[in-house]
Amino acid sequence: AQTVTQSQPEMSVQEAETVTLSCTYDTSESDYYLFWYKQPPSRQMILVIRQEAYKQQNATENRFSVNFQKAAKSFSLKISDSQLGDAAMYFCASDFTGNQFYFGTGTSLTVIP
Amino acid sequence: DTGVSQDPRHKITKRGQNVTFRCDPISEHNRLYWYRQTLGQGPEFLTYFQNEAQLEKSRLLSDRFSAERPKGSFSTLEIQRTEQGDSAMYLCASSSIRVGNTEAFFGQGTRLTVV
């Protein structure tokens, strides 16, 4: 079975500080992509960052970076210098089988001014 | 191209009525997905198309749900005899396999309320 698990329903961070959102997954596949999506309130889901499972180097996009541990099946998202606009639901996802995207239950991030 | 477009954005219907939603994917994308999302949950897979072929359907998708993608362009999702449990956000997404597995691009969703 393919599963994605986010164990932090809610997180908060002070503006300008750093926060890490956790994600674990389970799959028997060896080649897949992992994603973090952001869903602001009442707005559409957008991609934050993507990681290819066969690449050991962690992906980075400006203030967003991941810690990908393939053996541990862990894929966390680090947001540095948090901004008010980062407040949203964050979903961890993957396309393990190439036929669909599997999503976690999400982490609601609050940024405190 | 302005991205994935869904219509309508909101739909309120009485229990037992049929509803149809439309999704226009990004034009060069050959894959199209339908997801359902309830409050506080992640998107739940319903079905996906590659071009005009419906390749996979979730076992959670009852016979009241049907989806089409004629000519491999836009797609429609129809729910017959709606029930209150069908109330949710219905998300459409598209992606391309021509450049390898890439991310899905989502529309803004259609929020269905069954009263």
Side-chain angles (χ1 to χ4, degrees):
Chain A
Q2 329 288 339
T3 59
V4 176
T5 302
Q6 292 179 251
S7 58
Q8 305 158 313
E10 297 178 346
M11 292 284 285
S12 62
V13 61
Q14 292 281 348
E15 194 175 3
E17 296 296 308
T18 296
V19 65
T20 298
L21 308 184
S22 300
C23 173
T24 57
Y25 60 91
D26 190 20
T27 184
S28 57
E29 303 292 332
S30 59
D31 188 16
Y32 47 88
Y33 284 71
L34 292 160
F35 310 92
W36 278 98
Y37 280 89
K38 170 185 178 181
Q39 188 176 40
S42 301
R43 296 183 64 184
Q44 72 195 95
M45 200 171 308
I46 58 173
L47 180 71
V48 173
I49 197 165
R50 174 182 64 187
Q51 172 81 40
E52 296 166 81
Y54 66 87
K55 288 188 176 179
Q56 293 186 332
Q57 185 173 6
N58 290 323
T60 300
E61 289 286 343
N62 300 314
R63 298 183 294 107
F64 299 87
S65 61
V66 299
N67 184 3
F68 174 47
Q69 302 290 330
K70 190 172 185 179
K73 297 180 180 175
S74 169
F75 182 60
S76 62
L77 174 69
K78 185 171 81 172
I79 305 174
S80 304
D81 185 25
S82 297
Q83 301 175 0
L84 295 178
D86 294 334
M89 282 289 288
Y90 286 82
F91 292 99
C92 179
S94 182
D95 66 341
F96 301 122
T97 60
N99 293 340
Q100 61 170 286
F101 293 82
Y102 297 81
F103 287 84
T105 51
T107 297
S108 178
L109 179 66
T110 299
V111 181
I112 302 166
Chain B
D1 196 336
T2 56
V4 179
S5 176
Q6 291 188 246
D7 182 70
R9 293 285 309 279
H10 303 273
K11 178 71 176 179
I12 300 175
T13 190
K14 292 183 177 180
R15 188 178 53 180
Q17 297 295 305
N18 299 345
V19 295
T20 300
F21 310 142
R22 176 180 172 123
C23 171
D24 287 273
I26 293 172
S27 57
E28 64 267 27
H29 284 181
N30 48 9
R31 284 195 168 183
L32 186 147
Y33 310 83
W34 285 100
Y35 280 82
R36 177 170 62 192
Q37 185 179 24
T38 53
L39 195 62
Q41 298 297 313
E44 176 186 44
F45 173 76
L46 294 178
T47 188
Y48 98 97
F49 293 83
Q50 183 165 312
N51 300 313
E52 67 277 7
Q54 187 174 19
L55 296 187
E56 189 165 332
K57 289 175 60 174
S58 168
R59 279 170 283 182
L60 301 175
L61 205 63
S62 78
D63 291 343
R64 297 184 297 106
F65 288 70
S66 63
E68 294 182 342
R69 192 184 182 196
K71 302 179 182 178
S73 55
F74 71 92
S75 176
T76 58
L77 177 68
E78 180 183 19
I79 308 174
Q80 296 182 327
R81 305 181 303 281
T82 52
E83 302 173 355
Q84 287 189 323
D86 297 331
S87 296
M89 176 75 83
Y90 289 83
L91 299 172
C92 177
S94 68
S95 70
S96 173
I97 64 170
R98 294 198 179 99
V99 290
N101 284 329
T102 66
E103 69 269 22
F105 293 79
F106 283 83
Q108 292 185 294
T110 294
R111 182 169 296 283
L112 173 66
T113 302
V114 181
V115 298

